[in-house]
Amino acid sequence: MSEATRVEPHTPSPCDAALDYVYGELTGEALTAFEAHMTSCARCQAEVASFGRVRSVVRAALPALDVPTASQPMGSLHTQLLAAAAQRKPPAKVLSFPSRFRKFVTQPVFAMAATFLLVAGTVTTLWKKGALTTAKQESAAPSTPAVAATPKETPAPIVALPEATTVQPELAKNQPAKAVAEPPVLATEKQHEGPQKHYKADKDDSLAALQPKLEGGRAMAPPKPAKPALARKGAVVGGDNLADMVLEGNGTSSSTASPSTGEQRYRARLEPAKEESGGKDRTVDKWQARTDAPTTVVKPPPAAPAPPPTVAEAEKAEKKKAEAPGYAGGMLNRDGVQSQSRGAKSSEPMPAQQQMASRPQGSSLGAGGGEAPAAPRHAAADQRGGVAAAPMAKPAAPQPDAANLDGKAAKREETAAAADRNVADLRKKAMDLAHQGRCNEADELFKKLEHQYPMYRRNMTETMAVTHCRTQTGQFDAAQYEIDNLKTTKTQNNEVITREQDYLNNERARRVPAMPQSATPPSAPTATPAPAPMESPSHNMSPPAPMRAGKKAKKAAPAAASDAYSN
Amino acid sequence: MLRYRDGDVRAFEVLVQRHRKAIFNFVLRFVRDTAVAEDMMQETFLRLVKSADAYERQAKFTTWLYTIARNLCVDQSRRQKHRRAQSLDAPVGDDDGAALIEMVADPSNMGQDRKAISRELAGKMQKAIAALPDEQREIFLLREVSDLQFNEIAEIVGVPENTVKSRMRYALEKLREALEEYRDLAQAAQS
């Protein structure tokens, strides 16, 4: 092509506008300037003339042709074209942002901010749902194998328990860093709460899904709900906690030779279940039993299990224990109140080790006399330090780990201690009133105690004091009612009851003849060595005494029944 | 076109009626085949239908329409590079078998001699146009047949405006040289 070889004019020349002039594209000053230039430029004049001739010939040679018939408005091609145009679907209307907003939205900064918000929202949502917690637990997973390996270090009898429960104390000892990271709690609390966390993580799993984990040595928790109060109590008194279960399953003869009522009833319930299960793994059965009765101590069968006692045997043992000399049946001290509280939550009797722990120090049975099992006495110590069969002089003494109680546990402890102090004060005051012969006031205080502390029951000393007071003040019916209760429940030595009954009879015989003579209180009870009665004789002779006795009878029956288990 | 993009089919019909003749003449002068030109015109408007959603009012609609038609012409020209060009004496469309040269001159305004001269001159002129290179011919046709300005042609073809003018100048010079051979004939036709 020739135009490719020619050099394009770089500097605009007036002659370059000749083409524009021919085609009429020059306007204004450009047109004027070119016309002025063309008058003096022969070349431009010749070029314009030649181009004009060519154009005229071309116009004559290339007339505008009409389109063919097919493309006419009624033609086939035209129809097809319009049909194709009609088939096109208009686009869906899209709301268009204002140009200013669109400019803002399309900024990279806006995209980055939107991305950040999206990621942050996602992370927050996952965090709230707990999905990230799972990741956190998975990150701590390397510590789990070490825990799983610990069962080999535990004593052999522990195998009878769920492995998770036996492993936890070792876990607490072998992981000091974790103990620092978590709030300081008692070892028993860790024992309860640690598995509980695991259980929460896997709470959706079925029992069958959890069983392999238990058997595999993983620290799995039983489905028993966490009860911090119980855990604390277990730590203090060495009663119902997992460490006790471990120790009692540790082949101690006392545990097997002298089972407590709780053990007996547990076995009575567990053995049929085992038989029904076809002798499969006992761990699972026990675990299921714990599921059914969360407050019941899951006591594993010993290595050489004794024949399971029946319920009748358990009740017989209970009666023998109640008849033992010095047995303070029904005399519930502070610990007894707590034990009774637990017993009230569940229909199951309180386990023997807890009964032992709940007895006041210095009790006649505290030194291992009678049929009380000795193993639970060192349960708490063994649980913490793993020292087996260490004698525990003070079972109710606070544990060294109590210093590590968190705020909540400490608060609970303080509340319980304050309640105990109040109970002790009221009891002391009531006893003083009874000794002074102010039986009504003493009764009121005892009622107040029972009202404010529902699990409180008068112990034997208090009952005897009230009975003696009522006898002295002439409330013979009320005194007789108390003595009858003592005889019914058989919670007191027959000799003591007989002595009190004789005293009542003597007083009644001495005073009854004089009663009809005066309806007013005796002005000078010279014959009575006891202090003057504070109550009016009319009150003594009035029917309210049997009514009161009836009211008390309603309370006494369940109280006596519960005392039989709680002592 | 905006109305048709928004769904008004009647607007498209108006567009077809307004531009079909110019498109058909441009394509016909380019491909020199009436049937092919008609098909290409049809294809041009069909592509307009297909591309209606993407239409943005960034340029003149005519420019966009001629760009489509020109691209189709270039493709067609490449396909028929080695084919024999249709003779100008061949019948054009359905117009009673009349030759293209006969359509150039208006018989009603000429005498028999002038008719003959005009036919001969138109034939010579069309041969000269057909002999132009494609890049010059398309610019020449867009300028003379479609009556587009140089800047619009530059946008359609995709070259600078000065290049368009240069190519136009070369095309006119070639046609002038062709007319020199028939100067007398041309003068007779003009007179």
Side-chain angles (χ1 to χ4, degrees):
Chain A
M1 187 61 56
S2 60
E3 67 167 326
T5 58
R6 294 182 183 179
V7 178
E8 295 285 342
H10 296 287
T11 57
S13 171
C15 298
D16 295 337
L19 191 63
D20 295 328
Y21 179 77
V22 171
Y23 284 96
E25 292 191 7
L26 287 179
T27 55
E29 295 179 356
L31 177 61
T32 306
F34 182 76
E35 289 176 347
H37 166 72
M38 193 173 60
T39 55
S40 59
C41 181
R43 178 171 173 260
C44 287
Q45 292 175 0
E47 192 172 34
V48 168
S50 64
F51 286 165
R53 282 195 300 270
V54 172
R55 288 198 66 194
S56 61
V57 173
V58 167
R59 286 176 182 173
L62 300 176
L65 302 178
D66 286 335
V67 294
T69 311
S71 298
Q72 292 293 333
M74 295 305 294
S76 58
L77 291 179
H78 183 77
T79 306
Q80 293 176 6
L81 186 62
L82 293 182
Q87 288 179 356
R88 169 187 166 270
K89 295 180 179 178
K93 290 186 177 180
V94 179
L95 294 177
S96 60
F97 293 113
S99 59
R100 186 174 299 176
F101 182 73
R102 189 187 309 163
K103 188 180 294 183
F104 170 73
V105 168
T106 53
Q107 290 288 333
V109 177
F110 181 83
M112 293 175 62
T115 305
F116 174 76
L117 289 177
L118 181 63
V119 172
T122 304
V123 170
T124 304
T125 304
L126 292 176
W127 185 272
K128 287 182 178 179
K129 288 183 178 180
L132 295 181
T133 306
T134 304
K136 183 179 178 182
Q137 292 176 350
E138 290 177 357
S139 64
S143 62
T144 304
V147 176
T150 50
K152 296 179 180 179
E153 302 173 359
T154 55
I158 298 178
V159 176
L161 281 175
E163 296 182 12
T165 58
T166 60
V167 161
Q168 279 305 113
E170 297 294 331
L171 175 63
K173 288 194 302 181
N174 297 334
Q175 292 183 340
K178 186 176 180 181
V180 172
E182 293 179 354
V185 292
L186 283 176
T188 50
E189 287 188 338
K190 294 178 73 63
Q191 199 171 16
H192 282 273
E193 293 176 359
Q196 189 68 19
K197 293 178 181 178
H198 287 280
Y199 173 67
K200 286 178 179 177
D202 297 334
K203 61 184 179 181
D204 293 335
D205 294 343
S206 62
L207 181 62
L210 290 174
Q211 178 180 353
K213 296 181 179 180
L214 287 172
E215 294 176 351
R218 285 191 58 184
M220 281 302 302
K224 179 179 180 179
K227 292 186 177 181
L230 294 180
R232 186 188 73 247
K233 182 179 183 303
V236 173
V237 301
D240 180 14
N241 55 34
L242 298 177
D244 290 341
M245 294 157 45
V246 172
L247 290 171
E248 290 175 1
N250 199 5
T252 53
S253 58
S254 62
S255 171
T256 56
S258 60
S260 65
T261 304
E263 295 170 355
Q264 294 168 353
R265 297 204 173 192
Y266 166 74
R267 287 173 182 165
R269 191 186 64 216
L270 186 61
E271 288 301 326
K274 176 192 170 187
E275 293 175 1
E276 292 176 1
S277 63
K280 62 181 183 180
D281 191 4
R282 305 180 66 166
T283 304
V284 178
D285 293 338
K286 283 178 289 188
W287 190 45
Q288 290 173 343
R290 289 178 65 88
T291 307
D292 297 335
T295 57
T296 304
V297 173
V298 180
K299 184 175 181 58
T310 62
V311 177
E313 292 175 352
E315 292 178 352
K316 186 177 180 181
E318 185 70 19
K319 289 180 180 179
K320 288 182 64 178
K321 189 168 61 176
E323 293 175 359
Y327 179 70
M331 299 171 63
L332 300 180
N333 55 6
R334 167 195 165 190
D335 295 329
V337 171
Q338 293 178 350
S339 301
Q340 189 66 22
S341 173
R342 296 186 55 195
K345 290 181 181 179
S346 172
S347 59
E348 297 296 328
M350 181 177 293
Q353 63 270 24
Q354 188 172 351
Q355 296 174 12
M356 276 299 301
S358 64
R359 288 197 181 97
Q361 185 179 355
S363 172
S364 58
L365 294 178
E371 299 177 0
R377 295 160 55 199
H378 47 75
D382 293 343
Q383 177 187 350
R384 293 189 309 274
V387 180
M392 186 171 66
K394 297 181 179 180
Q399 304 299 324
D401 290 339
N404 296 328
L405 278 173
D406 55 358
K408 193 174 180 179
K411 190 174 181 180
R412 288 197 301 266
E413 191 69 26
E414 291 176 359
T415 304
D420 293 342
R421 284 193 296 271
N422 292 336
V423 171
D425 293 342
L426 290 174
R427 292 172 69 180
K428 184 178 180 182
K429 188 176 180 181
M431 288 294 289
D432 291 342
L433 291 173
H435 288 309
Q436 294 171 8
R438 300 160 65 180
C439 300
N440 286 342
E441 297 179 39
D443 275 342
E444 290 298 328
L445 275 182
F446 284 128
K447 288 179 181 178
K448 183 179 178 182
L449 277 170
E450 292 176 357
H451 179 71
Q452 292 183 354
Y453 307 96
M455 293 305 113
Y456 167 77
R457 295 289 183 273
R458 288 183 309 194
N459 58 19
M460 185 56 61
T461 305
E462 292 165 347
T463 302
M464 294 302 296
V466 169
T467 304
H468 198 81
C469 176
R470 287 176 178 170
T471 303
Q472 288 181 341
T473 56
Q475 303 179 47
F476 302 123
D477 293 338
Q480 185 62 51
Y481 170 76
E482 296 291 345
I483 293 174
D484 291 342
N485 276 344
L486 291 174
K487 291 179 180 178
T488 302
T489 57
K490 297 182 179 179
T491 54
Q492 181 60 288
N493 192 351
N494 289 333
E495 183 180 354
V496 176
I497 296 174
T498 303
R499 188 170 59 243
E500 191 64 29
Q501 183 66 56
D502 294 341
Y503 175 70
L504 172 62
N505 293 336
N506 293 334
E507 288 296 316
R508 188 194 296 267
R510 189 170 60 86
R511 295 191 186 186
V512 163
M515 292 300 292
Q517 295 177 0
S518 64
T520 57
S523 57
T526 54
T528 304
M534 302 301 294
E535 299 172 344
S536 64
S538 60
H539 182 266
N540 294 336
M541 297 303 295
S542 63
M547 292 176 63
R548 290 177 60 196
K551 289 181 181 178
K552 282 193 174 284
K554 293 179 182 178
K555 291 184 180 180
S562 61
D563 289 347
Y565 293 118
S566 60
N567 287 283
Chain B
M1 184 61 196
L2 292 175
R3 287 171 53 194
Y4 172 67
R5 187 191 65 180
D6 296 337
D8 189 357
V9 183
R10 295 276 305 174
F12 180 76
E13 188 175 1
V14 172
L15 282 175
V16 172
Q17 291 178 356
R18 184 181 298 174
H19 297 281
R20 66 179 178 183
K21 187 175 182 179
I23 293 293
F24 175 74
N25 280 276
F26 168 73
V27 175
L28 178 63
R29 303 306 177 187
F30 201 99
V31 299
R32 289 168 291 169
D33 189 331
T34 306
V36 174
E38 193 173 9
D39 291 342
M40 291 179 63
M41 183 191 67
Q42 189 84 358
E43 181 65 20
T44 300
F45 284 106
L46 287 175
R47 291 200 180 188
L48 196 68
V49 171
K50 293 178 182 178
S51 305
D53 294 339
Y55 175 73
E56 293 288 342
R57 198 171 184 178
Q58 297 176 351
K60 197 174 178 180
F61 170 74
T62 308
T63 304
W64 184 43
L65 183 62
Y66 274 99
T67 302
I68 296 173
R70 182 252 177 189
N71 290 336
L72 290 174
C73 291
V74 170
D75 294 340
Q76 179 65 19
S77 175
R78 288 172 181 170
R79 281 195 297 266
Q80 295 195 354
K81 195 98 178 182
H82 303 286
R83 295 183 185 178
R84 182 179 62 85
Q86 186 179 11
S87 173
L88 290 176
D89 297 333
V92 177
D94 299 332
D95 294 341
D96 301 332
L100 184 59
I101 194 65
E102 295 175 353
M103 298 169 61
V104 174
D106 187 2
S108 61
N109 297 332
M110 298 181 183
Q112 293 297 323
D113 295 340
R114 291 184 60 183
K115 284 183 181 177
I117 295 172
S118 294
R119 288 177 187 173
E120 187 177 356
L121 183 61
K124 298 295 182 183
M125 198 67 200
Q126 291 185 14
K127 284 183 180 178
I129 294 172
L132 290 175
D134 288 346
E135 60 269 19
Q136 294 177 14
R137 184 159 51 100
E138 66 180 2
I139 290 173
F140 177 80
L141 293 176
L142 287 172
R143 176 69 255 196
E144 290 292 342
V145 175
S146 300
D147 200 18
L148 297 177
Q149 294 186 354
F150 289 123
N151 57 353
E152 294 176 347
I153 295 172
E155 190 174 352
I156 291 171
V157 177
V159 295
E161 186 176 350
N162 287 334
T163 303
V164 171
K165 290 179 181 177
S166 176
R167 290 175 181 176
M168 187 67 190
R169 185 184 297 273
Y170 291 133
L172 290 175
E173 286 179 355
K174 283 187 177 179
L175 291 177
R176 187 180 59 187
E177 292 174 358
L179 283 176
E180 289 295 330
E181 300 176 4
Y182 308 100
R183 174 180 294 181
D184 297 336
L185 191 61
Q187 288 178 351
Q190 289 178 356
S191 63

